[in-house]
Amino acid sequence: MVIELYLEIFGYELRLKRMGTCASIGSSRHGASVLQNNESSRNPGRRRLGVCTQQHGLCLGDGILPTGRLSGAVGGKVKFSTTLRPPTKPFLSISWSFKGVNIITSTSTNVTEPGHTNRITLDRSTGALELRNLVLVDDGVYTVSVIPDGGLQIQGSTTLDVYALITGASITSPTLVLIEDKSSTNITCDASGSISTREWTKDGQPLRPTHTVTLSMGNRTVYISPVHSSDHGTYGCRLSNPVSTMTAVYDLTVNYGPHNVSITGPQSAPLGQRVTLACLAASVPPAAFSWTFNGNETHVNNSMFVIERMDEARAGNYSCTAWNKVTRVENSTLMHLRAACAAPYWSLALLVISSLSVGEWLQG
């Protein structure tokens, strides 16, 4: 059986594993135990060994930095925490490097790279490092190397992503008069800072691409060709990165209509009653209205037609025409109003009295 010692030191990748995940099969002269990694149970023909220091409860073979990337904002700070516990005896050496260049080494004294002076603080008890006044060029891979007293060197690496805060978000569009089914347009979302994602909404709901609505790579621009009445409304663009978020809004005007012209009101009205007819239409901008009665102009030029007192002469066909001055489209609708005969109250009373008189005569 081939036994391979999976141990890499000084210039090689080193990882740490907790004591509880290793099985001891021997010891070394440095006060460390040679341990069989659990991986051997998955591959019995090839045994991998790790090394755990008895003093610190650490296994060489896993990283000493938490998994995952770190994020920081320009001008802010970030802390590189480690998984190490404060030792009984101080670490002999702690050093941090950035993109392969040493930025601080701590033994009996600290030696700091000039570009990081007054920007970093090292915690000697755990090896953690705080980096302040972040700039975009701080983005990259950071590596820590620790030599315990009486132990072997242990290492870990992590990646820092630095983002500029998002500011000045806005949505712009060409200055055009948009007419339904005839015009095309685009709206563009921009801001200063590091932009990771852009998300669009329309009237508060997520904007979905259609056969007439498409988005550019990265969602920076929305293209609409041609525009429809359903494209009229408020557009929102949410820009974000791991350290900031900002939203911009834009009201897009699409001129359309008039659509769905209709008249509301009674189709019949008692003589002498006041009658109101209302003309409705979906239109941007709002439509202008005109009325005709039995084909004749009425000189009523608003959405309401009022008959103060209904009579037989007022019965007939009422037509409403809606006109959009931008789209230059007009549509009409027609309603027939009838006069309903309503008997006066005194005639009803006379009818009741007459009925009673006839009844009494028949009984006699």
Side-chain angles (χ1 to χ4, degrees), residues 5-255:
L5 181 64
Y6 189 67
L7 175 62
E8 297 171 287
I9 306 175
F10 299 106
Y12 295 85
E13 180 183 2
L14 299 178
R15 297 179 299 170
L16 296 174
K17 182 166 286 186
R18 292 190 180 278
M19 195 74 161
T21 62
C22 303
S24 175
I25 60 173
S27 61
S28 72
R29 62 185 178 88
H30 294 290
S33 296
V34 182
L35 309 172
Q36 179 180 338
N37 190 288
N38 287 340
E39 183 179 345
S40 62
S41 63
R42 299 190 295 271
N43 189 357
R46 179 185 179 90
R47 292 188 178 179
R48 284 191 167 186
L49 303 182
V51 174
C52 294
T53 63
Q54 295 173 341
Q55 180 179 359
H56 304 291
L58 302 172
C59 299
L60 296 178
D62 283 333
I64 62 173
L65 296 176
T67 59
R69 305 168 76 98
L70 293 177
S71 298
V74 170
K77 63 182 180 180
V78 68
K79 185 174 182 179
F80 299 91
S81 299
T82 71
T83 60
L84 301 177
R85 297 187 301 271
T88 303
K89 295 182 179 181
F91 295 120
L92 295 181
S93 172
I94 303 172
S95 64
W96 279 88
S97 62
F98 171 53
K99 295 180 179 179
V101 177
N102 186 273
I103 58 175
I104 186 170
T105 297
S106 177
T107 52
S108 57
T109 59
N110 292 345
V111 178
T112 304
E113 185 269 333
H116 288 81
T117 302
N118 299 324
R119 294 183 59 213
I120 56 177
T121 300
L122 179 67
D123 183 348
R124 284 279 298 159
S125 65
T126 63
L129 182 75
E130 181 181 84
L131 176 61
R132 300 178 296 277
N133 300 324
L134 293 174
V135 292
L136 289 175
V137 293
D138 288 329
D139 190 287
V141 177
Y142 290 76
T143 301
V144 60
S145 297
V146 178
I147 302 178
D149 187 359
L152 299 174
Q153 183 188 39
I154 49 182
Q155 290 183 327
S157 295
T158 191
T159 300
L160 172 64
D161 298 313
V162 180
Y163 300 88
L165 294 175
I166 296 174
T167 59
S170 65
I171 299 175
T172 57
S173 180
T175 305
L176 299 172
V177 176
L178 303 178
I179 298 177
E180 179 182 33
D181 297 328
K182 295 182 179 180
S183 306
S184 298
T185 192
N186 62 81
I187 53 177
T188 299
C189 177
D190 269 324
S192 299
S194 306
I195 301 172
S196 299
T197 61
R198 288 180 176 88
E199 297 173 324
W200 287 91
T201 60
K202 162 72 166 54
D203 295 330
Q205 299 299 317
L207 180 66
R208 307 296 184 191
T210 66
H211 67 286
T212 60
V213 177
T214 58
L215 284 82
S216 67
M217 187 70 69
N219 293 348
R220 178 174 177 265
T221 301
V222 178
Y223 298 95
I224 309 174
S225 180
V227 294
H228 295 305
S229 59
S230 59
D231 299 318
H232 178 88
T234 301
Y235 289 77
C237 175
R238 182 177 183 270
L239 306 101
S240 62
N241 62 35
V243 298
S244 63
T245 298
M246 196 171 187
T247 300
V249 295
Y250 183 82
D251 290 324
L252 182 68
T253 299
V254 177
N255 298 280

